[in-house]
């Protein structure tokens, strides 16, 4: 295994030492989907570049169908890979060996919109954790199941529950705990609160914020909710029809958007407090 991979393995690295290293670099990514019936090709991600440094919190916003999930899945090596370079912890996903890819994969964990859809209905919380532990013994030995639940503010009694016995908020916390168990360097949260009751959305966002602060993991937050993005993220990329039309620190983009589409998004915010300046 190359030294650079070894350095990022749990137990062998000091998070602070890597603080300014890029966790994820996406360079000129193009991802196309082919319609199986018509054979038509649709470009869902069109020449997108972005970089996330250790500990950083970056948002991708845009309307439904703008390519956010396609981008997130390709960037973490889970979806259609597409063209262009994707470097996770310095390793190009196009050229990394299978062995190193197996070691790199747990470094990027995804939390999806629908927590119940992400959990196996036949598995209790405990057996779900056990399955993950079986796949990555060394990486997951740092914390007990009860401690892990405490980290996501869930009572230990929930360990023996099945997904249908959990509320949406509890199920999403279990999903976050499963991600946390792997000690990832990057957490991708794809609309993590939009499937939840409004009353628990803030709690889940606070939890993500706290995890980022305490673990030093970088966060890639996919959202169409600009208020969420503003409260959690340092910088934002605005996507429109597969392309990034504007990028920058949240404060700057929200206060002084340069692109017409960003202005529209801001203006469409319910009770928008950040009216676009022209
Ligand atoms: N597997 C697929 N096959 C064909 N087309 C797809 C596939 N996945 C996504 N698409 C299309 O690619 C485009 C981008 O989809 P994507 O899911 O990335 O959008 P999104 O920004 O995440 O939207 P949303 O906010 O609704 O989640 C859409 O037009 C979608 O219909
Ligand atoms: Mg999506």
């Amino acid at each position: 295994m190359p030294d650079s991979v070894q350095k990022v393995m749990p137990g062998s690295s000091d998070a602070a030492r890597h603080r300014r290293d890029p966790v994820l670099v996406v360079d000129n990514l193009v991802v196309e989907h082919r319609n199986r019936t018509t054979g038509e090709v649709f470009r869902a991600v069109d020449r997108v570049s972005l970089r996330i440094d250790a500990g950083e919190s970056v948002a991708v916003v845009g309307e439904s169908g703008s390519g956010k999930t396609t981008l997130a899945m390709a960037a973490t090596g889970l979806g259609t890979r597409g063209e262009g370079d994707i470097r996770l912890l310095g390793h190009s996903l196009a050229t990394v060996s299978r062995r190193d890819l197996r070691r790199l994969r747990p470094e990027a964990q995804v939390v999806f919109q629908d927590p119940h859809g992400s959990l196996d209905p036949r598995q209790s919380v405990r057996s779900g954790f056990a399955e993950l532990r079986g796949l990555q013994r060394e990486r997951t030995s740092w914390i007990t199941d009860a401690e892990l639940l405490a980290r996501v503010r869930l009572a230990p009694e929930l360990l023996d529950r099945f997904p249908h016995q959990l509320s949406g908020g509890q199920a999403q916390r279990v999903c976050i705990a499963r991600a946390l168990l792997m000690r990832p360097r990057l957490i991708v949260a794809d609309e993590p609160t939009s499937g939840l009751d409004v009353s628990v959305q803030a709690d889940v966002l606070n939890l993500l914020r706290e995890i980022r602060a305490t673990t030093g993991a970088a966060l890639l937050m996919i959202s169409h909710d600009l208020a969420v993005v503003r409260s959690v993220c340092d910088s934002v990329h605005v996507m429109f029809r597969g392309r990034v039309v504007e990028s920058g620190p949240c404060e700057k983009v929200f206060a002084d958007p340069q692109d017409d589409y960003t202005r529209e998004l801001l203006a469409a915010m319910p009770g928008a407090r950040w009216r676009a300046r022209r």
Side-chain angles (χ1 to χ4, degrees):
M1 188 196 328
D3 281 354
S4 48
V5 173
Q6 210 136 28
K7 274 200 300 188
V8 300
M9 293 300 140
S12 65
S13 73
D14 167 7
R17 214 171 65 212
H18 301 289
R19 196 152 279 278
R20 264 182 250 114
D21 291 349
V23 172
L24 179 71
V25 179
V26 173
D27 189 20
N28 225 8
L29 180 69
V30 174
V31 185
E32 293 179 332
H33 294 301
R34 183 181 293 276
N35 183 314
R36 287 200 188 133
T37 324
T38 63
E40 218 172 281
V41 171
F42 177 77
R43 187 169 280 204
V45 174
D46 191 4
R47 289 166 287 163
V48 167
S49 299
L50 57 85
R51 168 186 168 132
I52 305 176
D53 286 348
E56 217 186 351
S57 178
V58 173
V60 174
V61 302
E63 65 191 5
S64 183
S66 56
K68 306 179 298 293
T69 297
T70 304
L71 167 64
M73 291 299 99
T76 47
L78 293 171
T80 313
R81 183 177 286 164
E83 287 169 32
D85 197 24
I86 297 164
R87 300 182 78 80
L88 186 59
L89 295 165
H91 294 266
S92 169
L93 293 186
T95 57
V96 70
S97 70
R98 277 181 179 221
R99 188 160 171 256
D100 284 348
L101 186 60
R102 264 202 305 277
R103 289 171 179 275
L104 272 174
R105 275 249 161 84
E107 298 285 0
Q109 292 291 315
V110 185
V111 175
F112 295 97
Q113 175 176 349
D114 172 17
H116 280 110
S118 314
L119 297 169
D120 183 340
R122 297 158 306 178
Q123 251 183 357
S124 68
V125 174
R126 189 193 300 278
S127 49
F129 289 162
E131 185 180 61
L132 294 177
R133 289 183 188 280
L135 294 172
Q136 297 280 337
R137 284 192 196 288
E138 268 184 51
R139 180 179 275 277
T140 55
S141 63
W142 65 286
I143 194 165
T144 65
D145 287 354
E147 286 165 349
L148 187 59
L149 281 195
R151 290 287 288 268
V152 296
R153 311 257 182 283
L154 289 177
E157 294 81 59
L158 267 63
L159 271 175
D160 292 308
R161 298 245 187 116
F162 286 82
H164 74 274
Q165 298 168 318
L166 301 170
S167 72
Q170 287 170 336
Q172 192 60 302
R173 281 162 193 271
V174 169
C175 292
I176 294 171
R178 289 168 58 89
L180 193 58
L181 180 59
M182 292 293 165
R183 299 182 79 187
R185 300 283 302 277
L186 174 67
I187 297 174
V188 178
D190 189 352
E191 304 273 8
T193 57
S194 46
L196 303 180
D197 193 273
V198 177
S199 62
V200 296
Q201 288 183 352
D203 293 341
V204 168
L205 287 178
N206 282 335
L207 181 61
L208 284 171
R209 231 187 260 123
E210 183 191 307
I211 286 172
R212 182 189 155 217
T214 53
T215 66
L219 181 65
L220 174 60
M221 170 81 87
I222 311 289
S223 185
H224 62 264
D225 186 334
L226 297 179
V228 165
V229 166
R230 198 174 202 227
S231 74
V232 178
C233 298
D234 307 317
S235 61
V236 58
H237 298 272
V238 181
M239 274 186 92
F240 179 62
R241 294 186 184 163
R243 303 195 69 176
V244 169
V245 294
E246 182 159 3
S247 301
C250 285
E251 287 299 321
K252 186 171 179 304
V253 171
F254 288 173
D256 187 18
Q258 299 298 305
D259 184 85
D260 284 346
Y261 177 66
T262 315
R263 290 192 186 105
E264 272 175 41
L265 267 187
L266 289 167
M269 265 183 77
R273 273 174 289 149
W274 309 290
R275 285 286 165 202
R277 270 198 253 141
R278 276 197 168 268

